Amino acid sequence: MKNKIGTILLICSMWGSVVWGQSCRFPFQNPQLNEEARLDNLISLLTLDEKVALFGGAGIPRLGIRGAGSSEALHGIVQGGPAWNPNQPKQITTSFPQAYGLGATWDVELIQQVADYIAYEGRYLYQSPKYQRAGLILWSPNADLGRDIRWGRTEECYGEDPVLTAALTVAFVKGLQGSHPKYWKAASLMKHFLANSHESGRVETSSDFDETLFREYYSYPFWKGIEQGGANALMTAYNAYNGIPCTISPVLRKVLQKEWGFDGMIITDGGAFQQLKNTHKVFERLEDAAQACIKAGTTRFLDDYKAALKNAFYEGKVSEKELEENIKGNLRIMLRLGLLDDDDSNPYKSIGIKDTIDPWLKEETRQLVRLAARKSAVLLKNEGRLLPLDKGSVKRIAVIGNRADVVLEDWYSGAMPYKITPLAGLKEVAEREGIEIRYVKDNKRSAAEDAAAWADVVIVCLGNDPTGSQEWAKAPWGQTALASDGREDVDRTSLQLEQEDLLRSVYKKNPRTVLVLISSFPYAINWSQDNIPAILHFTQSCQELGHAVSDVIFGDYNPAGRTTQTWVKDISDLPHIMDYDIRKGRTYMYFKGKPLYAFGHGLSYTSFDYSHLQVEQKTLSASETLHVRFNVTNTGEYSGDEVVQVYVKLPGDVAAKRLKGFSRVFVEKGKTETVEIQIPATDLMLWNAAENCFKLPEGKMELMVGSASDNIKLKSKIRLQ
């Protein structure tokens, strides 16, 4: 032992490195060494118990290494609270719109900016002497695809389209991890791999589909998150994929590691290890389950695993070398986070040390959240240009509904530093403009009808409860108060908006009615679409919700959000929820009916003309990039954003169209902007099952440019060769 320590000290002396303000104790602390050498040295110093503990996310106190810790971070940092411990108070943190709302922005730059802030807050809480709370490995984004609007965790996803979801996933990963070439601000842990878009029976059922859908659809956002975003951590899903639980799926080794070059952290979901025995019933003994997890590539468990893993080792089912190979992925993440050294080149190590003002208290934070909330607004309908309201002519407003005077926390929300409700936001403007507001929650004793008859305009705020009940955490696990509500472990069994009858009563008294639908997923609001003149959609659980509502309603912000799923008219329009073959009528790519709101739909207070479509190439080969240019002219009365969308119909493809490019563009009123969308030919390839690779289909491809999947403005044809 003395000789080993002497050799290490001699090597450190030869390097002349300085770490932690003192001479190097061990080679792994030397930032000048290459990554593999540092990790190999660290592993060589560990005891068996320390190696086993690393599978649970522990640090190595004996060597002065603090554990990275983890935190949910879909739309803000979550520390404490019901997702972890109902008896533990939640940490105050910033809360942006739900991930579903962030997706509705269709704004890659904004998503990266939001994620950058969330990573900063995670670092601040981890490093600040005031808090010292865990959380540098952030469980976000959710790269699963929302193929079915009944999915209880729709609120966590970016939508049904693989290209949109991939682009936002990449942006979020980059925002969390930062731009430094060596160190990460935080580690992005994507979830849930793979095909986790049903809740009921998720711990025992299988999501089944062919290799083509694996490549083109379900794995696509994860692939891009790794390839383009640089993500090196992910969580496996509860469900099985083609009969094999995702926790031990061979694709983890075969595709994730060998094809995509992933060499980081693979974590099981909470309790998923023991579910291999108890619900999936693949193994009779947990020792065999532990062996399978190690063979599959698991680097961290999220439930009680230690005894089974140690027994598996002592029984010879797993070797110490295998344990070391797997924990290397965890240590690699810790190295990138700067936890193995004290290098002055790490730009993130002073966060929370030199800056002592809590970030959620800063004005610039409020403004960023407000911007994200504004950009998430989707104007679904605006008949007769009822919106925006004229502040000069409207003198009396009735505000009605069960979501008007609340900002609800969802299952993965932190404790918000403040909450601006829709009513509060509207009152702020009303007080400045001399507008009278009356608020009633419901129509008991016809109070809502009376208020509607009194008002010049009625604003009705309705929506789901993301916790599943009116009192936090009171709904039993696996249940919600309403069939149309969903959350983790609960799929929706209805698409009906329970409070739509309230709208009918109000509309009868005053047809100048605005519906503000605050929800985590689509509803089949057919009556509202047919009758209510103006409909706005926002998502839940954002501290600036009320300001965003008032900004849009009074015209201080021109909405430009877009739907990210197909809103169907009837639940019977949806295939069997366990049918994962989306080609049988799922998503805008394969849906045969007429939707209530198409994928990519969203209106504006202004109007836009599209013109002068130019495509550089008449033919495109597999090594080239397609350059698409066109003009967008704001022909209306308001400046605002337009979300331009580029779709293609590929030769021989059964999909009606596929999104391949998009951009959110600001255009001043009366002005024209030239938009360029670049599409690499590799993004136009389809999976060739016979040759087991992506290939560019040969023939004529139709190019479609528009403002929604059902609102195409310009077309062209290009030959693929």
Side-chain angles (χ1 to χ4, degrees), residues 345-407:
S345 70
N346 182 350
Y348 310 121
K349 72 174 191 175
S350 64
I351 294 175
I353 308 298
K354 295 181 179 179
D355 49 340
T356 58
I357 299 175
D358 293 342
W360 49 87
L361 300 178
K362 296 179 180 179
E363 179 59 27
E364 55 264 39
T365 302
R366 295 172 180 256
Q367 292 304 318
L368 177 60
V369 180
R370 188 167 182 169
L371 176 63
R374 285 170 148 189
K375 286 197 168 189
S376 72
V378 183
L379 182 60
L380 295 171
K381 182 182 179 183
N382 194 23
E383 188 177 82
R385 300 178 67 180
L386 177 57
L387 294 177
L389 297 184
D390 185 344
K391 299 172 186 174
S393 62
V394 173
K395 296 302 179 185
R396 296 187 296 188
I397 298 176
V399 180
I400 297 169
N402 63 345
R403 297 294 171 259
D405 198 27
V406 292
V407 175

Side-chain angles (χ1 to χ4, degrees), residues 46-63:
L46 301 178
T47 66
L48 176 63
D49 283 343
E50 287 169 336
K51 292 170 186 176
V52 171
L54 279 167
F55 280 95
I60 312 169
R62 180 175 62 87
L63 298 177

Side-chain angles (χ1 to χ4, degrees), residues 61 76 129 139 166 233 262 350 353-354 370 377 395 418 526 546 584 604:
W139 297 355
F262 184 98
S350 64
I353 308 298
K354 295 181 179 179
R370 188 167 182 169
K395 296 302 179 185
Y418 63 90
N526 301 307
K584 295 178 181 177
S604 171

Side-chain angles (χ1 to χ4, degrees), residues 303-558:
D303 55 331
D304 188 3
Y305 71 95
K306 284 187 178 180
L309 184 58
K310 275 192 171 183
N311 289 341
F313 169 76
Y314 290 125
E315 292 174 11
K317 295 180 181 297
V318 297
S319 67
E320 191 162 6
K321 183 180 179 181
E322 288 176 309
L323 297 179
E324 292 173 353
E325 288 175 349
N326 285 30
I327 61 170
K328 199 171 192 179
N330 296 345
L331 295 173
R332 196 182 309 279
I333 300 301
M334 296 169 75
L335 185 148
R336 292 300 304 270
L337 290 169
L339 299 179
L340 304 189
D341 58 56
D342 192 25
D343 189 356
D344 288 339
S345 70
N346 182 350
Y348 310 121
K349 72 174 191 175
S350 64
I351 294 175
I353 308 298
K354 295 181 179 179
D355 49 340
T356 58
I357 299 175
D358 293 342
W360 49 87
L361 300 178
K362 296 179 180 179
E363 179 59 27
E364 55 264 39
T365 302
R366 295 172 180 256
Q367 292 304 318
L368 177 60
V369 180
R370 188 167 182 169
L371 176 63
R374 285 170 148 189
K375 286 197 168 189
S376 72
V378 183
L379 182 60
L380 295 171
K381 182 182 179 183
N382 194 23
E383 188 177 82
R385 300 178 67 180
L386 177 57
L387 294 177
L389 297 184
D390 185 344
K391 299 172 186 174
S393 62
V394 173
K395 296 302 179 185
R396 296 187 296 188
I397 298 176
V399 180
I400 297 169
N402 63 345
R403 297 294 171 259
D405 198 27
V406 292
V407 175
L408 298 175
E409 296 173 1
D410 64 20
W411 196 243
Y412 291 124
S413 290
M416 302 178 200
Y418 63 90
K419 298 178 180 181
I420 307 298
T421 69
L423 179 62
L426 293 167
K427 279 185 173 180
E428 283 185 21
V429 178
E431 288 173 4
R432 292 197 306 266
E433 301 295 332
I435 300 171
E436 187 178 356
I437 284 185
R438 288 186 184 177
Y439 163 66
V440 293
K441 182 177 180 180
D442 50 44
N443 201 27
K444 291 177 182 176
R445 293 185 294 179
S446 297
E449 294 178 39
D450 293 341
W454 162 85
D456 297 327
V457 175
V458 184
I459 299 172
V460 183
C461 302
L462 306 174
N464 70 299
D465 188 321
T467 71
S469 66
Q470 293 183 352
E471 294 182 280
W472 179 261
K474 293 297 184 182
W477 186 251
Q479 299 180 36
T480 53
L482 300 175
S484 60
D485 269 353
R487 69 172 196 195
E488 181 171 358
D489 204 46
V490 191
D491 287 319
R492 306 163 70 205
T493 55
S494 170
L495 304 183
Q496 300 304 305
L497 181 63
E498 186 196 36
Q499 295 286 315
E500 203 166 23
D501 275 349
L502 174 62
L503 272 173
R504 294 173 184 263
S505 300
V506 167
Y507 177 78
K508 180 179 66 175
K509 295 295 182 179
N510 191 336
R512 287 171 57 82
T513 295
V514 178
L515 168 59
V516 178
L517 179 60
I518 304 167
S519 71
S520 309
F521 27 66
Y523 282 92
I525 49 171
N526 301 307
W527 183 90
S528 297
Q529 172 60 24
D530 290 341
N531 295 276
I532 302 299
I535 305 174
L536 277 164
H537 181 260
F538 293 85
T539 52
Q540 300 281 4
S541 310
C542 174
Q543 64 197 42
E544 284 285 341
L545 171 64
H547 280 148
V549 169
S550 62
D551 289 344
V552 171
I553 283 180
F554 286 111
D556 296 315
Y557 187 79
N558 187 354

